[in-house]
Amino acid sequence: CLGISLLLSHGASSQVIQDDISSKLIGSWAGEGKAFGGPSRPEMKWESTLNGKFIKLSYRTVIQTPKGDQVFEGHGYYKSLGAGKYQGNWFDSQGSSHPISAVFADNSLTANWGTQQTEQGKTIYRLTSPDEMELIDSVLKKDGTWQEFGRARLKRK
């Protein structure tokens, strides 16, 4: 019983590490942009989860296409490694699951996702002010160049 009591009291007293994502991105965001050539309305929410050990990104966008609106949703889980570095995983409504390696520097989180065996991409969350963000999505082409497939401007709600 003493061991369990000590474990529980240690867990309750341990502090959540304050990092760049939690201090600058936590909150709800919404905006407008383009994705896959059509107008889009992205929304995202960054929140602390799982006893403060991870930051969860919930993302949803509606993309206007000639055949009607299409919805894309995903969740990312980021864990701080310290010194502005993060690792995580992404899961989305297309059934994709990707590992994430990310760095926060100069008010931007650059998240590299995917593997050489599947698909590789990069998402940049660039704060242009404390309450405004530019979101840029790109995929790595076979020739080694980046092709942008989405760009949006979002404001903190």
Side-chain angles (χ1 to χ4, degrees), residues 84-98:
K85 295 181 181 178
Y86 301 85
Q87 69 179 16
N89 288 287
W90 173 260
F91 308 93
D92 65 41
S93 58
Q94 294 179 333
S96 297
S97 173
H98 299 293

Side-chain angles (χ1 to χ4, degrees), residues 19-129:
D19 61 22
D20 290 318
I21 292 179
S22 62
S23 67
K24 296 185 179 185
L25 298 181
I26 290 286
S28 296
W29 302 77
E32 295 181 351
K34 284 199 168 200
F36 302 102
S40 65
R41 295 183 312 275
E43 294 182 357
M44 68 175 71
K45 181 178 180 181
W46 295 85
E47 61 187 315
S48 178
T49 190
L50 300 173
N51 199 29
K53 304 298 183 202
F54 292 88
I55 301 295
K56 178 183 177 185
L57 165 61
S58 299
Y59 179 81
R60 182 180 194 274
T61 190
V62 177
I63 305 165
Q64 294 176 0
T65 73
K67 295 181 179 182
D69 288 351
Q70 291 188 350
V71 176
F72 174 80
E73 295 179 286
H75 291 186
Y77 291 85
Y78 291 80
K79 180 177 182 171
S80 176
L81 301 176
K85 295 181 181 178
Y86 301 85
Q87 69 179 16
N89 288 287
W90 173 260
F91 308 93
D92 65 41
S93 58
Q94 294 179 333
S96 297
S97 173
H98 299 293
I100 301 168
S101 174
V103 174
F104 195 100
D106 300 323
N107 280 327
S108 292
L109 178 68
T110 302
N112 292 292
W113 47 265
T115 67
Q116 289 181 342
Q117 292 75 30
T118 60
E119 175 181 43
Q120 290 180 282
K122 173 172 56 177
T123 302
I124 300 171
Y125 306 89
R126 180 178 298 132
L127 290 169
T128 55
S129 78

